[in-house]
Amino acid sequence: QVQLVESGGGLVQPGGSLRLSCAASGSISSINAMAWYRQAPGKQRELVASVTTGGSTNYADSGKGRITISRDNAENTMYLQMNSLKPEDTAVYYCNADVQRLGYPMFRAYWGQGTQVTVSS
């Protein structure tokens, strides 16, 4: 099996920073794109940022200039550095990865359990 585990969420004041981590483990052969999504109460899950194996990144307009996504391919880990946080960034943040399991030819998407980020004074 494959597990994605997020960490680093919490309560932060407006203008503060947080660094989220996502560690992938299990019977992994290869990982393609990885991404962070978020879901605020009463809203649909939305893409925050994504990163390819080669390091190419894509950001939602809401996070451009404030958020940086990165990954460590050797450690199967992804990060999300969030600066200048706003109350509207409050959401559960989910890790997503396109993973090929050992012994299987196809890639499929896996999700973490989510980590809560609350921006409030």
Side-chain angles (χ1 to χ4, degrees):
Q1 274 290 4
V2 173
Q3 298 83 36
L4 300 181
V5 178
E6 303 99 335
S7 61
L11 173 64
V12 62
Q13 291 187 341
S17 298
L18 279 176
R19 188 189 194 214
L20 306 183
S21 299
C22 169
S25 63
S27 57
I28 296 171
S29 175
S30 180
I31 302 177
N32 276 345
M34 301 183 78
W36 287 98
Y37 286 76
R38 69 185 184 186
Q39 188 166 19
K43 295 188 176 181
Q44 289 189 334
R45 191 172 297 189
E46 63 178 5
L47 176 70
V48 176
S50 64
V51 59
T52 67
T53 306
S56 295
T57 58
N58 179 56
Y59 295 94
D61 288 342
S62 60
K64 287 181 179 177
R66 302 186 298 121
I67 291 175
T68 302
I69 189 171
S70 61
R71 63 189 284 178
D72 182 335
N73 293 328
E75 298 293 330
N76 288 336
T77 302
M78 175 178 63
Y79 305 96
L80 188 71
Q81 177 68 44
M82 302 188 291
N83 301 323
S84 302
L85 282 163
K86 306 174 182 180
E88 50 263 44
D89 293 316
T90 296
V92 178
Y93 284 70
Y94 296 92
C95 169
N96 170 270
D98 198 27
V99 179
Q100 180 187 38
R101 290 176 60 188
L102 289 169
Y104 291 80
M106 303 298 291
F107 285 79
R108 60 152 285 193
Y110 287 85
W111 291 89
Q113 81 289 349
T115 185
Q116 176 70 46
V117 171
T118 302
V119 184
S120 175
S121 55

